[in-house]
Amino acid sequence: MTRTNNAAKNAAREHQRKAGGNYTTALRHVKRVPAHDGDRNLMVPFAAVDGWFKQIHSDMHRQCIAIDSPAGGVVLSDGEAREGGLSISLLAALADRYSPQRVNFMTWGFDDERLRKAGLADYLVDSSHGSLTEFLAAAVDEDRARSNKFDESGVGTLADYREKGGIHGPAMANLVIVVKVHLDHESRPTGNDGNALERLKNSNFSGLTVIVDLITDGKSASGALSAAKISLGIDHSYGWVLQAKLDGAKNRWSPRPGEGRNRDQFLAHADSELNRLIGLDEPKKQVQLLRQQVLLEFEYRKRGMPLAKRPRHLLLEGPVGSGKSTMARVVADLYTGLGVLRTGLFETLSCEPSKLGFLTDRPRGGVQFMDTSRWASRSVIDAIDAIVSREVDDVMFIVAGDSAVLEMAIDAVDGASRDFPTTITFQPFQPSEIAELATEVAGETGQKLTADAGRAIEDHLGMVYRGNPNLAAKALTGNARLARAIVEGAETHRGLRLPTDFTDLTDDELRTLTEVDVTLALRKIFRDSRN
C-alpha cells in the first residue's frame, strides 16, 4: 500500500496557483517521478549517512548502500544521545532520494515526533504500535497483501510492475521495515520476537527490506552482533552493517566524529569532492574563500587579535539540479574538518516544516540543510524568520532554493542578511557538463559511453535549449539529474538493440552505450517532459 503523498497535493495546488490550469494537470506535473525513482534498486550513497558501512556480500553499487538487498541490513547504534539517529539518518537519505510513490517505511521503537521532524511523515505506513511480535506480525500481513497484488499483475519484478503501470498508473512502493531493539534493557527482544522476525524475513518478496537497529549499550560491533544472534537469530544472512563511527578508544562509539583523527578524513573528503565535481567553477571558488576565511580567523585568535563574531549560516541559490545539495555536504565536511563544526552530522529537510518544529532536536554540532525548492514562498520566509529570531546554538543552517524566493525572504526578515552573510549562486549545467556527468554515472556501474554518445548528448541538449519554447524542457537541459536519466534510458534502448543471443558479443559490446542509445533516450525524456 502506498501512502497518500500530501506534500504532492500541496505542491500541485501551489503549481496551479502559479501556472494556472486545472488541479488534475498540476497534480500530474508534480507527481512526475524524479530521476532517482527510476533506479531499479534503492540506493543511498555512503556519504549520505554518518556511519561506517560494511558490505557483507559483494558490493555491486560501489559508493552506495543497496538498501533493498533481499538479505536486509543491521544498524549498530549506541547510547541515548545517538539512539535511533543513525537509522533516521538512513531513512531521511532515502526520502531525500526517492518519492513516497517509490518507497514507504514501517518503524517500531522510534519516536513518532522525531520521525515527523525528519520529514518522513508522508513515507510512513500505518501499523500496529503494540509489542515487537505484534508489529512484526502486522508487517507480515502487509507483505502478504503486497505480494498477492504483485502476483496478480503477472510481471517478473517490482521494477517491471512500476514500468507497466507508468508514472500515472497503479504503483507499488518498496517497503523498508526498521525495528529498534535494546540488547541490554528491560525491553530486550524475546524468543517470540526472534521467531516473528525470522518469519518476516522468510516471507518477503523483492519489494521488502528488513533493517534491525541494535542499541548496543557499549558493546563492540562483534559483541553486539553475537548478542543479536542469540536473541534474534541475526547472523551472516543479513547483507550489510552500518555502525556509528568509532573514536580512538577500544570498543566505544564516537559521539563527536568531527574531532581527533576524523577531522583529517572529513577535510580529505571535502577536497576530494571539490576536485571530482564537474563544472560549478564559481561555487568552488566561493567554498575556497570560506576555507580561507576560517583559516584567517584561526590566525587572528592565535595572535590575540580582535575578531568580530560572524554567523556561519549559508544561502545556496539556484535552480533544481544545479549542485546545491552536493555542495552543502562539501561545506559541512570542510567545516567539520577545519574544526568549525563539532560533529559531522548532516540532516536534510526537504518537506515544508509544520509549525517550524525543525528548530528543535536539530543535529547539534552539525548542519541542518533545508532544500526549499518546492516550498511555498510563505514557508521560506517563516523558516528564515524562525532561524533569525530564535537563538539556535551549535547548529549551522544551509538554506537552498530559488534565487528570487530566497532573496525575497532575506529582504522580508529583519536581521536575515546579518545571519546569512554568504550567498553562493549556482547556474544550470552546460550541455558539455551534462555529457561529462553522464559518462561519470555510466562508469559507476561499469558502463561506458562512446565519444560519439557524449557528443550526441551535448548536441541534443544544445538544440533543445536553443529551439524549444517549452520552459520546463529548457530547465531540464541544465539539471544534473538528467545525466542519470539519460544513462538509464540508454541502457534500456541498448537492451532492445542487442541480439537475444549474447554468446558472440564481447564484454565491451555488452557494456557500451552508443550514440543511437543515448539519442533514443533523450527523445523519450523530452517527449515525456511535454506531457
Side-chain angles (χ1 to χ4, degrees):
M1 128 176 109
T2 301
R3 180 82 175 207
T4 300
N5 187 359
N6 293 320
K9 294 179 180 178
N10 293 333
R13 295 187 183 97
E14 179 67 13
H15 180 78
Q16 181 186 12
R17 184 183 66 79
K18 290 181 177 179
N22 59 50
Y23 174 76
T24 302
T25 301
L27 185 62
R28 184 179 299 119
H29 173 81
V30 301
K31 287 185 68 175
R32 180 168 298 282
V33 180
H36 284 315
D37 279 0
D39 292 347
R40 293 187 72 86
N41 299 308
L42 292 177
M43 294 181 288
V44 170
F46 296 160
V49 289
D50 187 40
W52 299 112
F53 176 75
K54 178 181 179 182
Q55 183 85 37
I56 296 176
H57 305 299
S58 60
D59 179 8
M60 299 298 292
H61 302 290
R62 297 184 180 180
Q63 298 304 310
C64 290
I65 305 172
I67 296 297
D68 57 347
S69 62
V74 177
V75 174
L76 299 177
S77 300
D78 181 59
E80 293 297 325
R82 292 187 62 89
E83 186 175 314
L86 199 53
S87 284
I88 291 176
S89 172
L90 184 63
L91 294 181
L94 274 171
D96 190 50
R97 188 174 176 90
Y98 302 103
S99 71
Q101 283 73 38
R102 175 62 195 277
V103 61
N104 297 156
F105 309 136
M106 288 180 70
T107 64
W108 186 87
F110 293 87
D111 178 66
D112 289 345
E113 182 67 10
R114 194 172 181 190
L115 292 170
R116 185 188 64 77
K117 288 176 181 176
L120 304 178
D122 286 324
Y123 292 79
L124 296 174
V125 173
D126 291 334
S127 59
S128 168
H129 293 279
S131 68
L132 177 56
T133 298
E134 291 170 339
F135 170 84
L136 293 171
V140 170
D141 291 339
E142 173 72 11
D143 179 59
R144 186 177 295 116
R146 290 158 48 84
S147 182
N148 290 339
K149 185 178 179 182
F150 176 81
D151 291 341
E152 291 170 2
S153 69
V155 297
T157 68
L158 195 60
D160 293 333
Y161 183 96
R162 284 193 296 271
E163 292 170 4
K164 178 181 178 181
I167 292 175
H168 310 305
M172 184 187 299
N174 287 65
L175 184 61
V176 177
I177 295 176
V178 189
V179 296
K180 185 180 73 175
V181 295
H182 288 261
L183 295 178
D184 289 324
H185 197 271
E186 291 180 358
S187 61
R188 60 182 176 271
T190 65
N192 288 337
D193 296 329
N195 293 335
L197 182 62
E198 187 64 21
R199 283 196 297 274
L200 178 61
K201 281 203 68 187
N202 290 338
S203 73
N204 76 73
F205 75 108
S206 62
L208 179 142
T209 303
V210 179
I211 299 174
V212 181
D213 186 333
L214 301 175
I215 308 303
T216 62
D217 293 312
K219 285 184 171 62
S220 66
S222 58
L225 290 173
S226 296
K229 182 176 182 179
I230 295 171
S231 59
L232 283 171
I234 293 177
D235 56 18
H236 62 275
S237 66
Y238 280 74
W240 50 265
V241 175
L242 179 67
Q243 65 186 74
K245 291 187 174 180
L246 297 168
D247 62 11
K250 185 178 180 180
N251 294 339
R252 295 298 302 170
W253 312 110
S254 172
R256 310 179 87 179
E259 296 192 346
R261 63 184 179 88
N262 285 317
R263 280 189 180 175
D264 293 337
Q265 296 170 2
F266 279 101
L267 201 55
H269 187 262
D271 289 336
S272 173
E273 282 294 287
L274 277 177
N275 292 330
R276 183 190 66 81
L277 290 175
I278 294 168
L280 303 176
D281 292 340
E282 285 305 313
K284 287 178 183 177
K285 290 179 183 177
Q286 289 290 319
V287 171
Q288 294 294 5
L289 287 175
L290 290 176
R291 178 204 295 264
Q292 188 67 12
Q293 187 178 61
V294 169
L295 295 176
L296 185 61
E297 289 175 6
F298 286 169
E299 186 65 23
Y300 269 47
R301 290 194 185 96
K302 179 180 175 182
R303 299 187 183 193
M305 298 170 65
L307 181 66
K309 184 177 180 181
R310 181 182 174 89
R312 301 288 183 192
H313 304 322
L314 184 64
L315 293 177
L316 305 182
E317 297 182 349
V320 173
S322 56
K324 301 186 296 297
S325 299
T326 301
M327 196 61 76
R329 292 188 179 277
V330 170
V331 172
D333 283 346
L334 174 65
Y335 276 12
T336 304
L338 292 173
V340 175
L341 297 175
R342 183 170 53 81
T343 78
L345 296 175
F346 186 101
E347 260 187 32
T348 299
L349 181 64
S350 300
C351 302
E352 294 187 40
S354 59
K355 299 182 181 178
L356 303 173
F358 67 89
L359 285 176
T360 60
D361 196 26
R362 293 302 90 209
R364 298 301 175 189
V367 167
Q368 171 72 72
F369 175 63
M370 299 166 61
D371 182 0
T372 68
S373 300
R374 293 179 174 84
W375 292 16
S377 300
R378 183 69 253 175
S379 294
V380 179
I381 294 173
D382 289 344
I384 295 292
D385 181 57
I387 295 170
V388 172
S389 61
R390 306 182 194 181
E391 288 195 11
V392 186
D393 295 330
D394 208 15
V395 181
M396 176 184 179
F397 285 92
I398 301 180
V399 183
D402 176 77
S403 300
V405 174
L406 289 182
E407 289 171 8
M408 177 188 65
I410 294 299
D411 290 341
V413 177
D414 290 339
S417 58
R418 176 200 65 230
D419 283 7
F420 286 86
T422 304
T423 299
I424 300 179
T425 302
F426 293 73
Q427 300 297 332
F429 284 92
Q430 296 299 307
S432 60
E433 293 168 343
I434 297 293
E436 284 187 68
L437 288 169
T439 300
E440 183 179 88
V441 169
E444 291 175 359
T445 53
Q447 310 301 307
K448 182 174 69 173
L449 264 69
T450 65
D452 287 343
R455 284 191 291 271
I457 294 173
E458 186 174 348
D459 291 345
H460 193 102
L461 295 182
M463 178 186 67
V464 170
Y465 187 82
R466 290 189 300 271
N468 196 323
N470 186 314
L471 294 179
K474 285 189 175 185
L476 185 58
T477 63
N479 190 324
R481 297 174 187 134
L482 175 63
R484 188 172 298 277
I486 293 171
V487 171
E488 292 170 349
E491 289 174 347
T492 298
H493 289 289
R494 178 187 58 193
L496 298 173
R497 172 175 56 81
L498 294 176
T500 54
D501 185 358
F502 304 140
T503 307
D504 295 331
L505 297 179
T506 65
D507 290 352
D508 264 0
E509 288 173 320
L510 286 172
R511 66 190 183 95
T512 297
L513 300 172
T514 67
E515 177 184 1
V516 172
D517 299 330
V518 299
T519 299
L520 291 173
L522 282 161
R523 287 176 182 171
K524 183 178 187 306
I525 289 169
F526 285 100
R527 185 168 62 248
D528 290 346
S529 74
R530 295 197 296 267
N531 297 332

